[in-house]
Amino acid sequence: MSESNIGKDGLDELIKTVTEKLERYKFTKIAHSGEMVGYTKEGAGYDGLSALFTVPEKSFEMLDQQLKSRIVPLSDHFGYTAPSEGKFEIAVRRIGRIGRLFDPMLRSLPSAGKVQCKHSSGHPLPSLDPQEYNKSRLSKGMVGKIHVADPEETGCIELSWASPCGVLWGLPNGRNYDFDRVGANSFRAMLTLKIELEDPGDPSRFEERCLGLVNAFLYEMSVRNGISFEPVRQAEYYSNSPRSPRVRTEASVRFPETRIQPEIAELFFFAGGARENPSLSFLSYYQILEYFFPYAVRREVIRRVRKEISDPRFNKSADDSILKILAAAEVAVSASEAKQIATLIDNSVRAELLEEFFTNGSWADHFTSKGPISSVEPINLKNSQKSLPSQVADRIYRIRNRIVHAKDDPKYADVRVLLPKSREAYALGPDIALLKFLAEEVVLDSQV
């Protein structure tokens, strides 16, 4: 965007006017330094730090124009809608290319067909190219954009740098502690997917309708063009999941005494490193428990059989005695997976430490019926009808099923699938901590 001709006094007045509008949306202006204006927003922060939204002062005429429409934040993603104007914008990022917000291949991708819209002839959608505001050494126009229009002239879609509102309702592009040092002369932006529809239809369904177009557009670009993007969800950055309590650690390192199977080691390391994919981390720790299912069930069967044959009343010539042994042995083949988990926990996890996990952890309401994970067993230490190992087993088994089973599986018709980028997925932290604790206990038990 070219330099504004309104002068410094006019620009200061415009920034003041726009700031008053933004205050209605819980934004607070904290700084105006260099060529950038910094805002914080109520409720926006991560890693214990306040998030900063930095907007170039030269973009305020564009921002003022956008704010003439009522802005509605997206429900689960970074972005916004202006339903009355048929406008939608959502933050997206490249999959598998860390640090590359925009792939050079996009510059050479032409739009299919020759369909034109009003944005093709002198009325472009608002977009802030960071190269323009950062005095970048890179040549202007290197990034470009993709703009496609519906052949039936019902709307258009564009992949380009975020607009001013896309920045403010997008992923924070700074931290308030370093604004004066860095932010005043630096502008970072994300890519967004913008949609404009001639007939927005029902305002209450507008976001849902646009998300359908987003999913279809990004899917086709991945399949047809080999370039994959994904929408960015708020839960990934603004998770309210309670933090795991600090565990007791030793001050010295020792020569290893633990025998660890290579499969278990790989799963343990992978689970610990999969922090950005909570569902995968959960499943990896769960697989460690699965590895020991046969061991736990076999040990339980041996215990039961040994108990039967040690009974002074046991008579190897009596059918009843033999049937009792067969019934004990049937546990190995008839036990459900939930029962196998409960058996493993009951036999391998120290009861006092399991109870301590729930009483000493800073879990708030996570493991109660008020917790963020639906359709799972709440944990009640005072439950006299069901043992704690059984409660834990049912809970982690239900979560596992919600992750791995498709929603149209008739066996799990009453349970919603737990999607990997959902708010529930990013609230799994305490359950992952529980599984990690169980895995450590089971590995320890296998040593004796």
Side-chain angles (χ1 to χ4, degrees), residues 22-23 175 257 273 430:
L22 288 173
E23 287 172 351
R175 303 276 174 83
E257 299 178 8

Side-chain angles (χ1 to χ4, degrees), residues 168-189:
L168 289 168
W169 275 272
L171 185 66
N173 59 352
R175 303 276 174 83
N176 62 15
Y177 68 86
D178 66 354
F179 180 79
D180 291 333
R181 180 175 61 86
V182 178
N185 298 301
S186 176
F187 172 64
R188 289 179 290 177

Side-chain angles (χ1 to χ4, degrees), residues 53-231:
F53 301 85
T54 304
V55 184
E57 62 179 17
K58 291 187 293 184
S59 70
F60 268 72
E61 287 182 282
M62 188 189 301
L63 177 56
D64 186 46
Q65 186 65 31
Q66 286 188 289
L67 290 174
K68 290 180 179 178
S69 303
R70 183 175 69 91
I71 302 298
V72 180
L74 297 185
S75 303
D76 294 316
H77 298 83
F78 286 105
Y80 72 95
T81 68
S84 61
E85 303 293 325
K87 295 177 180 177
F88 173 98
E89 185 170 2
I90 187 170
V92 296
R93 65 177 170 211
R94 182 75 195 275
I95 298 175
R97 294 291 182 91
I98 298 174
R100 294 183 71 176
L101 293 177
F102 210 100
D103 194 284
M105 287 180 62
L106 294 177
R107 301 196 312 273
S108 61
L109 284 176
S111 302
K114 302 296 183 181
V115 180
Q116 299 290 308
C117 68
K118 63 182 179 181
H119 303 299
S120 308
S121 55
H123 298 87
L125 287 169
S127 178
L128 302 180
D129 186 342
Q131 295 178 86
E132 182 172 343
Y133 299 101
N134 287 332
K135 301 181 176 61
S136 173
R137 296 178 185 177
L138 299 175
S139 59
K140 301 288 183 177
M142 179 180 177
V143 171
K145 64 184 178 184
I146 293 177
H147 190 97
V148 294
D150 184 358
E152 298 181 4
E153 300 183 355
T154 62
C156 57
I157 300 175
E158 179 175 295
L159 179 61
S160 59
W161 294 112
S163 72
C165 277
V167 170
L168 289 168
W169 275 272
L171 185 66
N173 59 352
R175 303 276 174 83
N176 62 15
Y177 68 86
D178 66 354
F179 180 79
D180 291 333
R181 180 175 61 86
V182 178
N185 298 301
S186 176
F187 172 64
R188 289 179 290 177
M190 287 196 74
L191 289 172
T192 61
L193 200 61
K194 305 172 180 70
I195 297 176
E196 189 166 307
L197 301 179
E198 293 295 327
D199 180 12
D202 182 354
S204 66
R205 302 293 297 276
F206 182 68
E207 178 181 342
E208 179 184 354
R209 180 182 173 191
C210 289
L211 284 174
L213 288 172
V214 168
N215 292 335
F217 179 82
L218 296 180
Y219 175 80
E220 285 203 6
M221 195 165 72
S222 177
V223 173
R224 286 168 48 88
N225 310 115
I227 301 177
S228 299
F229 282 83
E230 65 176 345

Side-chain angles (χ1 to χ4, degrees), residues 275-311:
R275 296 183 184 90
E276 295 184 1
N277 193 330
S279 299
L280 199 54
S281 181
F282 182 96
L283 289 177
S284 297
Y285 282 126
Y286 186 91
Q287 282 183 284
I288 294 176
L289 301 189
E290 278 187 317
Y291 184 91
F292 290 98
F293 284 174
Y295 163 77
V297 172
R298 184 171 60 250
R299 189 166 66 172
E300 175 67 10
V301 169
I302 291 173
R303 185 188 68 80
R304 292 189 181 192
V305 170
R306 183 172 286 125
K307 184 176 180 180
E308 290 297 334
I309 62 178
S310 298
D311 188 338

Side-chain angles (χ1 to χ4, degrees), residues 9 11 18 23-25 84 107 126 129 137 158 171 173 185 200 203 230 234 277 307 328 331 339 341 379 384 399 409:
D9 291 342
L11 179 60
V18 168
E23 287 172 351
R24 304 171 196 163
Y25 296 102
S84 61
R107 301 196 312 273
D129 186 342
R137 296 178 185 177
E158 179 175 295
L171 185 66
N173 59 352
N185 298 301
E230 65 176 345
Q234 298 171 27
N277 193 330
K307 184 176 180 180
V331 172
K339 179 61 177 175
I341 302 171
I379 303 299
S384 59
I399 294 175
D409 188 329

